[in-house]
Amino acid sequence: MQLYLVRGRRITVTATGFGEQPDTVVVTRDVPAGRVALRLTAEQAAALDLAEGQQYEITGTVTDADGEALTFPATVVHTIPTR
């Protein structure tokens, strides 16, 4: 999630360290994520008759039995200026 989407609103973050540039801090924010990615093992790729020696990843959303999209917790890391 880009920080500009929450500009002007209060959000909860956790300061986890100082940034590499002066007057910056590294913060983390927990956000719900709706997209998932699953990297296939070599055995899974072979079972699907995919070419060997490559990495494959399936991306998309997970839905419940009613077709509603599920969300999972994710952590986003930002380096932001301080005042």
Side-chain angles (χ1 to χ4, degrees):
M1 178 174 190
Q2 301 296 322
L3 283 179
Y4 73 88
L5 296 174
V6 293
R7 178 176 284 156
R9 294 189 297 167
R10 290 183 181 260
I11 60 172
T12 301
V13 298
T14 303
T16 58
F18 294 102
E20 293 181 18
Q21 301 295 321
D23 300 324
T24 61
V25 292
V26 177
V27 298
T28 60
R29 180 171 182 232
D30 294 328
V31 295
R35 304 269 310 158
V36 294
L38 174 66
R39 186 166 299 272
L40 297 179
T41 65
E43 293 80 18
Q44 291 168 327
L48 294 170
D49 202 26
L50 299 172
E52 292 182 29
Q54 298 186 43
Q55 295 287 322
Y56 295 94
E57 186 174 272
I58 299 171
T59 60
T61 57
V62 176
T63 59
D64 63 15
D66 297 325
E68 296 293 319
L70 303 178
T71 59
F72 301 93
T75 300
V76 178
V77 179
H78 298 285
T79 300
I80 59 173
T82 60
R83 301 191 244 177

